[in-house]
Amino acid sequence: MSNIIWWKKVFSILGLFVFISLNAFSDDNADKLIKKLQSKYNSMQTVSISFTQHVQFGVTKSEQTFKGKFIMKKGNKYIIEMEHQKIITDGILVWSINFLNRQVIIDKYRDDSNSFSPDKVLVSIPQSYNASLLAKEKINDKDMIVVKLIPKDKKNNYKWLKIWVSDDHIMKKVQLLDITENLTTYLVDEIKINQEIPDGKFQYEPLSNLEVIDLR
């Protein structure tokens, strides 16, 4: 899987943490669902999420666990940190950093129909999935509402997604099963909403020991 496709996959899943609330899924009416999602998104200027990702691979039966961080600010600004990789964009440029390979790829941010951005996740969820409420479950002795998302497109890379939401409308867990039977689980360790984040945080000055590949 290429770096670009991998980051798009990660970002699309992390976007679920940001844009779905318990209230939004308490009503089966699609129009009301979309309006509530839009209202929640409009109230968010910044979001910072620390999470743990656990993957159970369907073919090899092996498992992998690591921690990451997702930071978003309105205006197509976001940061994703996973293991030894990091992607940063200020809505103008994109820096893809691989610290193991000591390499950073710089490219222009392209806002086209195929691009992923925080502002597009809100639109893609209600268009791409059918949502249903499942029975409550507990996480750390706290009741969670479980929401299941089934892709409308049979060619989707995922068979289903599940989301666990607490009573205070905070996403605590996301789980997805892809077409190769890989089961990926994201657990939220910490989430902060509408904290002050300077625009400079979404820019990157390559370190001297990194190879720079400039695709601009």
Side-chain angles (χ1 to χ4, degrees):
M1 183 182 294
S2 72
N3 244 9
I4 294 175
I5 295 174
W6 185 80
W7 283 119
K8 285 183 175 182
K9 175 185 175 183
V10 171
F11 181 77
S12 64
I13 300 305
L14 292 175
L16 294 172
F17 286 116
V18 180
F19 300 125
I20 303 176
S21 69
L22 175 61
N23 284 340
F25 284 99
S26 64
D27 195 318
D28 292 330
N29 186 287
D31 291 335
K32 290 182 179 179
L33 168 60
I34 293 173
K35 288 179 181 178
K36 288 178 180 179
L37 286 169
Q38 290 172 334
S39 176
K40 183 173 181 66
Y41 173 68
N42 288 335
S43 70
M44 294 182 180
Q45 296 302 315
T46 68
V47 176
S48 179
I49 299 169
S50 298
F51 61 90
T52 300
Q53 180 184 9
H54 180 76
V55 183
Q56 295 174 293
F57 296 96
V59 176
T60 64
K61 306 303 179 183
S62 60
E63 299 186 15
Q64 184 182 57
T65 300
F66 51 86
K67 291 186 177 293
K69 194 166 186 178
F70 173 66
I71 302 172
M72 188 274 303
K73 186 175 184 178
K74 285 284 186 69
N76 293 329
K77 300 177 178 69
Y78 61 88
I79 300 170
I80 305 174
E81 297 182 54
M82 302 278 285
E83 283 285 291
H84 303 291
Q85 294 180 299
K86 188 174 185 178
I87 188 168
I88 304 170
T89 181
D90 59 0
I92 300 173
L93 296 177
V94 180
W95 296 266
S96 298
I97 308 122
N98 188 314
F99 294 106
L100 283 180
N101 295 338
R102 297 181 180 276
Q103 186 180 84
V104 55
I105 299 174
I106 306 174
D107 202 354
K108 293 179 180 179
Y109 174 81
R110 294 176 175 85
D111 188 14
D112 56 41
S113 59
N114 296 317
S115 68
F116 275 66
S117 70
D119 300 311
K120 289 182 179 178
V121 175
L122 173 66
V123 177
S124 67
I125 291 173
Q127 289 180 345
S128 303
Y129 298 92
N130 291 313
S132 61
L133 291 174
L134 303 180
K136 283 189 175 183
E137 293 184 16
K138 287 186 179 292
I139 295 180
N140 296 328
D141 294 326
K142 293 184 178 180
D143 286 333
M144 301 284 160
I145 295 291
V146 185
V147 180
K148 188 172 186 178
L149 300 175
I150 303 294
K152 295 180 181 179
D153 186 355
K154 299 301 182 183
K155 296 180 181 180
N156 194 293
N157 289 327
Y158 305 112
K159 291 184 176 181
W160 52 257
L161 299 87
K162 290 182 182 179
I163 300 152
W164 283 253
V165 187
S166 63
D167 290 337
D168 55 359
H169 306 173
I170 299 298
M171 206 69 52
K172 297 296 186 182
K173 179 179 176 181
V174 170
Q175 190 174 72
L176 58 142
L177 183 70
D178 67 23
I179 56 176
T180 61
E181 299 296 325
N182 295 329
L183 183 65
T184 304
T185 303
Y186 293 89
L187 288 172
V188 174
D189 300 317
E190 184 179 40
I191 182 167
K192 299 176 181 178
I193 298 172
N194 289 335
Q195 289 199 331
E196 185 66 29
I197 303 177
D199 287 344
K201 190 174 182 66
F202 300 93
Q203 297 176 336
Y204 182 73
E205 185 66 33
L207 300 175
S208 60
N209 65 337
L210 295 179
E211 175 190 6
V212 176
I213 301 175
D214 197 333
L215 302 180
R216 288 175 288 182

